[in-house]
Amino acid sequence: MAQPQTPLISSVPPSRTERRAAFVTAALLLVVFLSVLPFANVRLERLDVFLPIVATILFLTDLISATFLYAHFAILRTWPLRLLAGGYLFCALIIIPYALTFPGAFAPNGLFNAGLQTSPWLFTVWHMALPTTIIVYAIAWHFTPQRVVRGSVATAITADVCIVAAAVCVITWFLTAHENVVPRLIVTETDPAVFVTFVSAFMMMVAIAALLFIWFSQRSVLDLSLLIVALAWLFSSILVNLVDTRFDVAWYSNRVFAVVSDSLVLLVLLAESTMLYAGLALSALARQSERDSRLISMNVVSAAMAHEIRQPLTAIASNAGAGLNWINKVPPDLGRARRAYERIISDIDRVNEVIQSIRDIFSGSERPKTPINTNQIIRETVALTREETESRKIAIELDLNETIPTVLGHQGQLRQVLLNLVGNAIEAMRHTNGRSRLLRIKSEPDERGGIAVFVEDNGTGIAPENTERIFDVFFTTRSDGMGVGLAVCRSIVEAHGGTLSVARTGNEGSVFRITLPQSQHLETEASPTRVRTQDVR
Ligand code: ADP
């Protein structure tokens, strides 16, 4: 079965930085080891509290490493990971009887009726366990790299815990109950026996073997950290060899090297899981904001639709009612009814145009642009809003420059922009009292050869701090507003290569300015028209 591709340190090859970090760690370990060597046999004070502290640290680091490794095993389900995790678990558990049986640590002669040889032999078992685990792990990678453990992961881990705990119990029982049958590693409470030389030499060989095995089978970040562990373990084994008597520098440093070596894999695993967590949190955030922005886009589209078609739909409804009235009249006034229905048809066309233009804006699709006479659109807009401006007693002043060039664009979209600006102006003048309400629309050529259109009112004006915010989607100061009109207008104008901004604002109204560029290829065609218009004037 193919192995799942996961970004776990047990499957990802080391990067250059990680290799460099491993090299620096190895160099540091070597420096510390070499600096300890000259003082190896210096006797230090007996510190009974040292061993329980070191044993607790080792127990916890090995146990947490085993937990992490089993978590990796639960994902990848490979045999090498299971064996490595089991090995770390064994190391964690065997430290308990070692510390408990060590004379002076928890009881003067050690617990469990331990003999003199119990704790040195438990130490030997523990010291052999980790390099042996590394060797087994490397061999398992060689022979069963793709073999996946079948069945339930929970059952496999429970079985491992039981087997490892049973092995530790049996070894502890044997080394306490039959302490007298094992070769002597120690003669007094502090002095080692000669046999220790052989045992420690064997430990060194196992550590060297572990180093070589993992060196030749390096494939992941985990393997790289195990390489450093094996190196630290080798230094630690050499120090065992150098121990002259318990509590000398070699004895203390051996335990310190063990702590460093055991912590290495844990540190790498912790760093990795923190990075994975950060990565997950970031991608969850990214997904969330993607969802949010999709939601906002959908809201904007639906709000824009509702905003833009509300006006023509209202007109359709009132024209339909009027048409019916003219027909129901006795005698029916068919001429007026026909005109009402013609207005309905043209409003329906406008609704279609609005829907099409909103689709164009949000889908990014490009319909071909056509030459547009902006003054004509302004006049159409005024005609379409005449009913409202008249009912609200708004005077309209048009100042249209007939020399402005033709622009390329979408007639319906640009009309929509003007309808929005005029609609906003009408709204802004709702509370203008004590002076006549005036809507002024002006067109002129702009300084860059394009056109500028100004829509001016003498309504409420815009607070200075809002002059840019009013173009944000959903920004509104009106209780019945949707806050999409200006955002849509700006998108349309910018899609035409132009700009939409507030040109001036004050207590007595505001002015919006639209600029649109003149199309290059139209310039030559548009020029004669412009000249002719000027001539006429
Ligand atoms: P809406 O009209 O639904 O609020 P718009 O995007 O069209 O949405 O306008 C956003 C805001 O800009 C309005 O709520 C209003 O505060 C302000 N605004 C727009 N046009 C004018 C204007 N001519 N005079 C004063 N304020 C305006």
Side-chain angles (χ1 to χ4, degrees):
M1 192 197 277
Q3 237 188 249
Q5 283 304 306
T6 42
L8 300 175
I9 58 160
S10 44
S11 52
V12 167
S15 65
R16 244 172 120 189
T17 322
E18 282 158 344
R19 281 186 193 281
R20 224 174 282 154
F23 179 77
V24 171
T25 316
L28 276 176
L29 283 173
L30 183 66
V31 169
V32 175
F33 172 72
L34 291 177
S35 51
V36 164
L37 279 187
F39 313 100
N41 296 132
V42 175
R43 280 177 187 232
L44 297 175
E45 209 173 308
R46 174 178 176 150
L47 268 178
D48 281 336
V49 73
F50 176 77
L51 200 95
I53 292 174
V54 167
T56 309
I57 298 173
L58 287 169
F59 168 71
L60 287 176
T61 47
D62 283 352
L63 191 67
I64 300 171
S65 303
T67 311
F68 269 112
L69 290 167
Y70 270 121
H72 280 237
F73 162 67
I75 300 165
L76 298 175
R77 289 167 162 258
T78 55
W79 275 99
L81 271 177
R82 183 180 179 179
L83 292 166
L84 189 66
Y88 265 89
L89 182 64
F90 181 84
C91 291
L93 297 187
I94 198 79
I95 282 168
I96 301 172
Y98 165 63
L100 294 180
T101 56
F102 192 87
F106 292 94
N109 293 320
L111 295 170
F112 306 145
N113 287 328
L116 206 56
Q117 307 307 321
T118 307
S119 70
W121 270 108
L122 282 170
F123 171 86
T124 307
V125 173
W126 163 55
H127 235 260
M128 302 280 243
L130 194 58
T132 310
T133 301
I134 295 176
I135 294 170
V136 171
Y137 166 79
I139 293 175
W141 257 122
H142 190 71
F143 290 107
T144 60
Q146 309 291 346
R147 275 252 328 263
V148 169
V149 177
R150 301 195 184 279
S152 147
V153 168
T155 313
I157 296 175
T158 313
D160 285 7
V161 173
C162 294
I163 292 168
V164 169
V168 169
C169 288
V170 169
I171 292 169
T172 309
W173 165 77
F174 180 78
L175 290 175
T176 44
H178 302 286
E179 179 256 350
N180 50 340
V181 300
V182 291
R184 284 177 356 141
L185 291 178
I186 201 159
V187 277
T188 70
E189 208 174 269
T190 50
D191 300 316
V194 184
F195 193 65
V196 156
T197 323
F198 301 108
V199 172
S200 58
F202 188 65
M203 273 182 200
M204 266 163 47
M205 277 157 55
V206 176
I208 291 171
L211 195 69
L212 292 175
F213 268 96
I214 201 71
W215 174 270
F216 287 111
S217 65
Q218 268 184 79
R219 55 183 66 76
S220 66
V221 181
L222 180 64
D223 296 357
L224 188 66
S225 59
L226 286 175
L227 185 74
I228 307 299
V229 169
L231 185 70
W233 219 244
L234 176 63
F235 292 154
S236 175
S237 306
I238 296 172
L239 287 169
V240 172
N241 206 285
L242 295 176
V243 171
D244 192 29
T245 170
R246 262 182 186 168
F247 310 113
D248 63 5
V249 168
W251 187 89
Y252 277 108
S253 352
N254 159 271
R255 271 79 186 161
V256 172
F257 262 94
V259 169
V260 171
S261 145
D262 275 21
S263 317
L264 278 171
V265 166
L266 181 60
L267 286 178
V268 173
L269 286 164
L270 277 176
E272 183 233 14
S273 64
T274 311
M275 258 139 53
L276 271 184
Y277 178 78
L280 273 178
L282 280 177
S283 75
L285 263 178
R287 273 204 306 277
Q288 177 69 37
S289 63
E290 198 181 300
R291 263 200 303 271
D292 285 352
S293 72
R294 225 179 293 146
L295 207 65
I296 288 174
S297 308
M298 279 164 63
N299 282 344
V300 172
V301 174
S302 55
M305 287 276 187
H307 184 270
E308 304 300 294
I309 63 177
R310 194 157 53 179
Q311 201 265 335
L313 280 183
T314 314
I316 289 170
S318 82
N319 279 321
L324 268 182
N325 281 344
W326 297 126
I327 289 171
N328 288 337
K329 240 183 128 198
V330 188
D333 188 338
L334 291 181
R336 285 183 142 155
R338 186 185 300 113
R339 281 200 293 282
Y341 286 111
E342 278 166 3
R343 281 199 297 276
I344 291 177
I345 291 169
S346 93
D347 282 332
I348 289 172
D349 285 346
R350 260 179 64 209
V351 171
N352 280 332
E353 227 169 50
V354 166
I355 292 172
Q356 184 57 47
S357 67
I358 288 176
R359 278 193 51 169
D360 288 350
I361 294 168
F362 290 100
S363 69
S365 69
E366 269 287 307
R367 271 189 301 153
K369 293 183 172 121
T370 51
I372 287 171
N373 178 338
T374 312
N375 288 340
Q376 160 124 21
I377 298 183
I378 295 172
R379 288 194 191 93
E380 280 171 18
T381 307
V382 169
L384 285 166
T385 52
R386 183 161 319 273
E387 216 170 288
E388 215 176 346
T389 47
E390 278 177 1
S391 70
R392 300 219 186 172
K393 301 194 169 38
I394 295 173
I396 297 180
E397 197 179 296
L398 290 188
D399 180 4
L400 306 183
N401 186 324
E402 298 300 337
T403 66
I404 57 170
T406 313
V407 294
L408 261 192
H410 298 297
Q411 176 124 348
Q413 290 185 1
L414 291 177
R415 192 192 305 120
Q416 212 52 43
V417 171
L418 280 164
L419 276 169
N420 263 312
L421 294 183
V422 169
N424 281 346
I426 294 172
E427 268 311 310
M429 289 185 283
R430 185 196 280 258
H431 302 293
T432 302
N433 294 314
R435 62 176 190 271
S436 56
R437 298 171 182 174
L438 180 66
L439 170 67
R440 184 181 290 135
I441 307 180
K442 183 176 164 189
S443 67
E444 63 181 28
D446 81 351
E447 58 279 5
R448 279 180 294 165
I451 62 158
V453 176
F454 297 86
V455 179
E456 181 177 352
D457 64 73
N458 61 352
T460 51
I462 299 161
E465 66 272 17
N466 288 342
T467 46
E468 263 312 303
R469 288 177 70 203
I470 54 170
F471 296 100
D472 290 347
V473 182
F474 300 135
F475 177 84
T476 180
T477 57
R478 288 165 43 190
S479 56
D480 60 340
M482 292 176 124
V484 289
L486 287 179
V488 170
C489 289
R490 193 172 246 187
S491 312
I492 292 177
V493 174
E494 285 176 356
H496 281 76
T499 59
L500 171 62
S501 56
V502 177
R504 181 167 53 77
T505 180
N507 287 341
E508 298 221 338
S510 49
V511 186
F512 282 82
R513 178 176 192 251
I514 304 170
T515 65
L516 290 170
Q518 182 198 25
S519 150
Q520 286 300 313
H521 90 272
L522 269 183
E523 198 159 28
T524 44
E525 291 170 27
S527 302
T529 319
R530 205 164 60 215
V531 172
R532 218 175 26 245
T533 320
Q534 262 174 343
D535 288 346
V536 171
R537 289 175 90 204

mmCIF file of all heavy atoms in Angstrom, residues 377-398:
data_model
loop_
_atom_site.group_PDB
_atom_site.id
_atom_site.type_symbol
_atom_site.label_atom_id
_atom_site.label_comp_id
_atom_site.label_asym_id
_atom_site.label_seq_id
_atom_site.Cartn_x
_atom_site.Cartn_y
_atom_site.Cartn_z
ATOM 1 N N ILE A 377 -26.438 60.232 -22.346
ATOM 2 C CA ILE A 377 -26.767 59.419 -21.158
ATOM 3 C C ILE A 377 -27.236 60.331 -20.030
ATOM 4 O O ILE A 377 -28.164 59.994 -19.281
ATOM 5 C CB ILE A 377 -25.546 58.601 -20.694
ATOM 6 C CG1 ILE A 377 -25.121 57.641 -21.792
ATOM 7 C CG2 ILE A 377 -25.866 57.812 -19.446
ATOM 8 C CD1 ILE A 377 -23.983 56.744 -21.422
ATOM 9 N N ILE A 378 -26.610 61.501 -19.897
ATOM 10 C CA ILE A 378 -27.016 62.425 -18.827
ATOM 11 C C ILE A 378 -28.484 62.833 -19.046
ATOM 12 O O ILE A 378 -29.297 62.825 -18.107
ATOM 13 C CB ILE A 378 -26.101 63.669 -18.818
ATOM 14 C CG1 ILE A 378 -24.671 63.245 -18.446
ATOM 15 C CG2 ILE A 378 -26.607 64.735 -17.855
ATOM 16 C CD1 ILE A 378 -23.631 64.335 -18.576
ATOM 17 N N ARG A 379 -28.796 63.139 -20.307
ATOM 18 C CA ARG A 379 -30.189 63.562 -20.594
ATOM 19 C C ARG A 379 -31.153 62.417 -20.290
ATOM 20 O O ARG A 379 -32.220 62.628 -19.709
ATOM 21 C CB ARG A 379 -30.312 63.995 -22.052
ATOM 22 C CG ARG A 379 -29.628 65.322 -22.304
ATOM 23 C CD ARG A 379 -30.018 65.924 -23.643
ATOM 24 N NE ARG A 379 -29.151 67.044 -23.935
ATOM 25 C CZ ARG A 379 -28.020 66.959 -24.654
ATOM 26 N NH1 ARG A 379 -27.659 65.802 -25.199
ATOM 27 N NH2 ARG A 379 -27.276 68.024 -24.850
ATOM 28 N N GLU A 380 -30.795 61.201 -20.688
ATOM 29 C CA GLU A 380 -31.660 60.037 -20.403
ATOM 30 C C GLU A 380 -31.875 59.887 -18.902
ATOM 31 O O GLU A 380 -32.987 59.644 -18.433
ATOM 32 C CB GLU A 380 -31.014 58.744 -20.923
ATOM 33 C CG GLU A 380 -31.195 58.511 -22.407
ATOM 34 C CD GLU A 380 -30.339 57.343 -22.896
ATOM 35 O OE1 GLU A 380 -29.885 56.521 -22.062
ATOM 36 O OE2 GLU A 380 -30.114 57.267 -24.103
ATOM 37 N N THR A 381 -30.809 60.051 -18.146
ATOM 38 C CA THR A 381 -30.892 59.904 -16.682
ATOM 39 C C THR A 381 -31.855 60.937 -16.104
ATOM 40 O O THR A 381 -32.698 60.620 -15.252
ATOM 41 C CB THR A 381 -29.492 60.096 -16.058
ATOM 42 O OG1 THR A 381 -28.607 59.217 -16.707
ATOM 43 C CG2 THR A 381 -29.499 59.825 -14.570
ATOM 44 N N VAL A 382 -31.710 62.170 -16.594
ATOM 45 C CA VAL A 382 -32.590 63.238 -16.100
ATOM 46 C C VAL A 382 -34.042 62.901 -16.436
ATOM 47 O O VAL A 382 -34.939 63.056 -15.596
ATOM 48 C CB VAL A 382 -32.169 64.587 -16.710
ATOM 49 C CG1 VAL A 382 -33.206 65.668 -16.430
ATOM 50 C CG2 VAL A 382 -30.814 65.006 -16.172
ATOM 51 N N ALA A 383 -34.248 62.370 -17.661
ATOM 52 C CA ALA A 383 -35.614 62.031 -18.056
ATOM 53 C C ALA A 383 -36.165 60.921 -17.171
ATOM 54 O O ALA A 383 -37.310 60.962 -16.726
ATOM 55 C CB ALA A 383 -35.634 61.595 -19.519
ATOM 56 N N LEU A 384 -35.336 59.930 -16.888
ATOM 57 C CA LEU A 384 -35.788 58.794 -16.081
ATOM 58 C C LEU A 384 -36.107 59.177 -14.636
ATOM 59 O O LEU A 384 -36.905 58.510 -13.976
ATOM 60 C CB LEU A 384 -34.716 57.681 -16.081
ATOM 61 C CG LEU A 384 -34.620 56.867 -17.364
ATOM 62 C CD1 LEU A 384 -33.332 56.050 -17.399
ATOM 63 C CD2 LEU A 384 -35.823 55.938 -17.493
ATOM 64 N N THR A 385 -35.469 60.235 -14.149
ATOM 65 C CA THR A 385 -35.698 60.617 -12.748
ATOM 66 C C THR A 385 -36.603 61.852 -12.625
ATOM 67 O O THR A 385 -36.799 62.361 -11.521
ATOM 68 C CB THR A 385 -34.352 60.907 -12.037
ATOM 69 O OG1 THR A 385 -33.627 61.837 -12.837
ATOM 70 C CG2 THR A 385 -33.527 59.670 -11.829
ATOM 71 N N ARG A 386 -37.111 62.294 -13.787
ATOM 72 C CA ARG A 386 -37.875 63.551 -13.771
ATOM 73 C C ARG A 386 -39.056 63.514 -12.801
ATOM 74 O O ARG A 386 -39.268 64.431 -12.033
ATOM 75 C CB ARG A 386 -38.366 63.898 -15.186
ATOM 76 C CG ARG A 386 -39.097 65.238 -15.192
ATOM 77 C CD ARG A 386 -39.213 65.888 -16.543
ATOM 78 N NE ARG A 386 -38.067 65.845 -17.409
ATOM 79 C CZ ARG A 386 -37.059 66.739 -17.407
ATOM 80 N NH1 ARG A 386 -37.034 67.700 -16.488
ATOM 81 N NH2 ARG A 386 -36.096 66.658 -18.273
ATOM 82 N N GLU A 387 -39.770 62.383 -12.841
ATOM 83 C CA GLU A 387 -40.946 62.286 -11.980
ATOM 84 C C GLU A 387 -40.583 62.558 -10.518
ATOM 85 O O GLU A 387 -41.247 63.313 -9.812
ATOM 86 C CB GLU A 387 -41.523 60.874 -12.096
ATOM 87 C CG GLU A 387 -43.033 60.846 -12.032
ATOM 88 C CD GLU A 387 -43.535 59.455 -12.390
ATOM 89 O OE1 GLU A 387 -43.453 59.081 -13.578
ATOM 90 O OE2 GLU A 387 -43.959 58.758 -11.461
ATOM 91 N N GLU A 388 -39.465 61.953 -10.089
ATOM 92 C CA GLU A 388 -39.042 62.075 -8.690
ATOM 93 C C GLU A 388 -38.540 63.490 -8.390
ATOM 94 O O GLU A 388 -38.882 64.065 -7.348
ATOM 95 C CB GLU A 388 -37.929 61.074 -8.416
ATOM 96 C CG GLU A 388 -38.026 60.542 -7.012
ATOM 97 C CD GLU A 388 -37.000 59.469 -6.729
ATOM 98 O OE1 GLU A 388 -36.404 58.953 -7.702
ATOM 99 O OE2 GLU A 388 -36.799 59.183 -5.540
ATOM 100 N N THR A 389 -37.745 64.028 -9.310
ATOM 101 C CA THR A 389 -37.208 65.377 -9.045
ATOM 102 C C THR A 389 -38.350 66.401 -9.003
ATOM 103 O O THR A 389 -38.336 67.307 -8.187
ATOM 104 C CB THR A 389 -36.166 65.788 -10.109
ATOM 105 O OG1 THR A 389 -36.681 65.508 -11.399
ATOM 106 C CG2 THR A 389 -34.856 65.083 -9.904
ATOM 107 N N GLU A 390 -39.324 66.178 -9.895
ATOM 108 C CA GLU A 390 -40.458 67.129 -9.902
ATOM 109 C C GLU A 390 -41.244 67.013 -8.615
ATOM 110 O O GLU A 390 -41.577 68.017 -7.979
ATOM 111 C CB GLU A 390 -41.352 66.877 -11.115
ATOM 112 C CG GLU A 390 -40.780 67.562 -12.351
ATOM 113 C CD GLU A 390 -41.591 67.301 -13.621
ATOM 114 O OE1 GLU A 390 -42.618 66.595 -13.548
ATOM 115 O OE2 GLU A 390 -41.165 67.795 -14.679
ATOM 116 N N SER A 391 -41.521 65.745 -8.197
ATOM 117 C CA SER A 391 -42.326 65.594 -6.982
ATOM 118 C C SER A 391 -41.598 66.142 -5.759
ATOM 119 O O SER A 391 -42.219 66.555 -4.794
ATOM 120 C CB SER A 391 -42.719 64.134 -6.778
ATOM 121 O OG SER A 391 -41.577 63.406 -6.430
ATOM 122 N N ARG A 392 -40.286 66.165 -5.806
ATOM 123 C CA ARG A 392 -39.536 66.675 -4.630
ATOM 124 C C ARG A 392 -39.097 68.131 -4.823
ATOM 125 O O ARG A 392 -38.272 68.640 -4.071
ATOM 126 C CB ARG A 392 -38.294 65.813 -4.406
ATOM 127 C CG ARG A 392 -38.647 64.369 -4.159
ATOM 128 C CD ARG A 392 -37.769 63.789 -3.125
ATOM 129 N NE ARG A 392 -38.044 62.351 -3.019
ATOM 130 C CZ ARG A 392 -37.340 61.544 -2.319
ATOM 131 N NH1 ARG A 392 -36.301 61.989 -1.673
ATOM 132 N NH2 ARG A 392 -37.674 60.289 -2.249
ATOM 133 N N LYS A 393 -39.614 68.718 -5.870
ATOM 134 C CA LYS A 393 -39.340 70.136 -6.144
ATOM 135 C C LYS A 393 -37.834 70.414 -6.243
ATOM 136 O O LYS A 393 -37.288 71.295 -5.586
ATOM 137 C CB LYS A 393 -39.977 71.032 -5.070
ATOM 138 C CG LYS A 393 -41.483 70.850 -4.970
ATOM 139 C CD LYS A 393 -42.088 71.979 -4.175
ATOM 140 C CE LYS A 393 -43.597 72.020 -4.250
ATOM 141 N NZ LYS A 393 -44.301 70.758 -4.248
ATOM 142 N N ILE A 394 -37.190 69.615 -7.041
ATOM 143 C CA ILE A 394 -35.754 69.805 -7.242
ATOM 144 C C ILE A 394 -35.546 70.410 -8.620
ATOM 145 O O ILE A 394 -36.007 69.848 -9.636
ATOM 146 C CB ILE A 394 -35.004 68.463 -7.140
ATOM 147 C CG1 ILE A 394 -35.140 67.910 -5.710
ATOM 148 C CG2 ILE A 394 -33.529 68.614 -7.495
ATOM 149 C CD1 ILE A 394 -34.585 66.506 -5.533
ATOM 150 N N ALA A 395 -34.861 71.530 -8.648
ATOM 151 C CA ALA A 395 -34.565 72.164 -9.942
ATOM 152 C C ALA A 395 -33.339 71.482 -10.544
ATOM 153 O O ALA A 395 -32.419 71.087 -9.823
ATOM 154 C CB ALA A 395 -34.293 73.641 -9.731
ATOM 155 N N ILE A 396 -33.352 71.327 -11.859
ATOM 156 C CA ILE A 396 -32.223 70.663 -12.516
ATOM 157 C C ILE A 396 -31.536 71.648 -13.443
ATOM 158 O O ILE A 396 -32.171 72.312 -14.252
ATOM 159 C CB ILE A 396 -32.697 69.429 -13.293
ATOM 160 C CG1 ILE A 396 -33.277 68.433 -12.284
ATOM 161 C CG2 ILE A 396 -31.555 68.793 -14.064
ATOM 162 C CD1 ILE A 396 -33.772 67.169 -12.886
ATOM 163 N N GLU A 397 -30.231 71.716 -13.326
ATOM 164 C CA GLU A 397 -29.469 72.619 -14.178
ATOM 165 C C GLU A 397 -28.453 71.767 -14.940
ATOM 166 O O GLU A 397 -27.640 71.072 -14.327
ATOM 167 C CB GLU A 397 -28.742 73.629 -13.283
ATOM 168 C CG GLU A 397 -28.260 74.848 -14.020
ATOM 169 C CD GLU A 397 -27.574 75.800 -13.039
ATOM 170 O OE1 GLU A 397 -28.259 76.318 -12.119
ATOM 171 O OE2 GLU A 397 -26.368 75.990 -13.181
ATOM 172 N N LEU A 398 -28.552 71.775 -16.256
ATOM 173 C CA LEU A 398 -27.604 70.997 -17.063
ATOM 174 C C LEU A 398 -26.603 71.938 -17.703
ATOM 175 O O LEU A 398 -26.982 72.943 -18.300
ATOM 176 C CB LEU A 398 -28.338 70.224 -18.155
ATOM 177 C CG LEU A 398 -29.218 69.053 -17.718
ATOM 178 C CD1 LEU A 398 -29.721 68.285 -18.944
ATOM 179 C CD2 LEU A 398 -28.446 68.105 -16.826
#
